[in-house]
């Protein structure tokens, strides 16, 4: 029964596994880097997260508001953002734009970072139909633009071209195929929109 028991090499110790980076982790890192860079430039910024579970349950998570300094609590609030519920984008855009409209700056930019198309449990009569969410989000973006705020949407969803070209003003969206490139791409987007690129 013991034949060969000592002839084989002992089992190697398992290597510690590096935690897999999720898309949301890269998004949070990119937003933290961007918020830090904007603070260095002296530009006011806010960072929000959102999710939905029907029209009566839209969550709006404040990681950093305009008056909040960059601090441990800011970074902790940003780190606490996790994927939840659905992507009720129109409501989040309207709420963020209302907060942005109260800021005294003459140049207002709203950058939406997402990993999927707008959808929610009651975003139209058929949850599987993307049209209602796309049209609601397109309307929210048009209203924000009409009120004087420039918008830009960034997604890491490979299918993003299909719906972003229908929702966003021309040349005001970006589909990122290489998720780790998100921080650099966000910096370029901001520089272009702010006239610094």
């Amino acid at each position: 029964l013991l034949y060969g028991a000592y002839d084989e090499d002992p089992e190697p110790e398992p290597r510690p596994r590096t935690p897999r980076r999720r898309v949301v982790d890269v998004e949070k890192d990119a937003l933290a880097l961007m918020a830090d860079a904007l603070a260095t430039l002296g530009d006011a910024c806010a960072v929000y997260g959102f999710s939905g579970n029907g029209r009566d349950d839209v969550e709006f998570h404040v990681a950093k508001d305009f008056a909040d300094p960059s601090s441990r609590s800011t970074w902790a609030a940003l780190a606490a953002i996790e994927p939840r519920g659905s992507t009720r984008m129109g409501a989040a855009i309207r709420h963020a734009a209302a907060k942005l409209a109260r800021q005294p700056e003459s140049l207002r930019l709203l950058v939406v970072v997402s990993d999927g198309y707008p959808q929610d449990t009651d975003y139209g009569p058929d949850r599987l139909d993307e049209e209602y969410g796309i049209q609601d989000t397109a309307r929210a973006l048009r209203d924000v633009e009409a009120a004087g705020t420039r918008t830009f949407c960034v997604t890491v969803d490979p299918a993003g071209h299909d719906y972003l070209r229908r929702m966003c003003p021309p040349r005001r969206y970006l589909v990122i195929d290489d998720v780790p490139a998100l921080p650099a791409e966000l910096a370029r987007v901001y520089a272009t929109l702010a006239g610094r690129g």
Side-chain angles (χ1 to χ4, degrees):
L1 288 172
L2 297 177
Y3 180 77
Y6 300 102
D7 294 337
E8 297 175 2
D9 291 334
E11 292 258 339
E13 293 270 331
R15 288 186 183 166
R17 290 176 42 153
T18 305
R20 193 170 136 285
R21 301 254 310 142
R22 302 169 301 166
V23 170
V24 71
D25 297 324
V26 177
E27 290 173 331
K28 290 189 292 188
D29 287 350
L31 293 171
L33 288 169
M34 188 167 181
D36 202 37
L38 293 177
T40 301
L41 291 171
D43 292 353
C45 79
V47 180
Y48 307 121
F50 66 93
S51 68
N53 188 22
R55 68 181 307 138
D56 297 322
D57 188 13
V58 178
E59 294 182 4
F60 193 83
H61 181 86
V62 179
K64 179 189 180 309
D65 224 332
F66 289 101
D68 297 340
S70 296
S71 66
R72 283 186 183 172
S73 61
T74 300
W75 307 133
L78 180 57
I81 294 176
E82 288 293 326
R84 305 171 46 110
S86 301
T87 308
R88 198 173 188 99
M89 207 176 290
I93 288 170
R94 289 179 182 96
H95 190 64
K99 293 172 86 53
L100 185 55
R102 292 193 289 270
Q103 299 308 304
E105 286 75 17
S106 58
L107 176 63
R108 295 184 185 92
L109 310 174
L110 176 64
V111 179
V112 180
V113 180
S114 176
D115 58 3
Y117 69 91
Q119 54 84 27
D120 200 354
T121 56
D122 61 353
Y123 235 179
D126 179 3
R127 190 180 200 282
L128 300 177
D129 180 13
E130 300 174 9
E131 194 60 28
Y132 187 94
I134 289 170
Q135 291 303 319
D136 180 56
T137 304
R139 178 59 187 259
L141 290 168
R142 281 195 308 270
D143 291 348
V144 171
E145 288 272 340
T149 295
R150 300 184 78 189
T151 63
F152 199 96
C153 293
V154 179
T155 189
V156 292
D157 177 10
H161 289 290
D162 295 341
Y163 54 87
L164 287 177
R165 64 184 165 79
R166 297 175 53 215
M167 292 183 344
C168 303
R171 294 176 299 284
R172 294 284 189 83
Y173 74 87
L174 178 64
V175 177
I176 297 177
D177 300 318
D178 179 21
V179 175
L182 181 60
E185 294 293 346
L186 269 183
R188 276 195 280 276
V189 164
Y190 180 77
T192 301
L193 289 173
R196 292 182 170 150

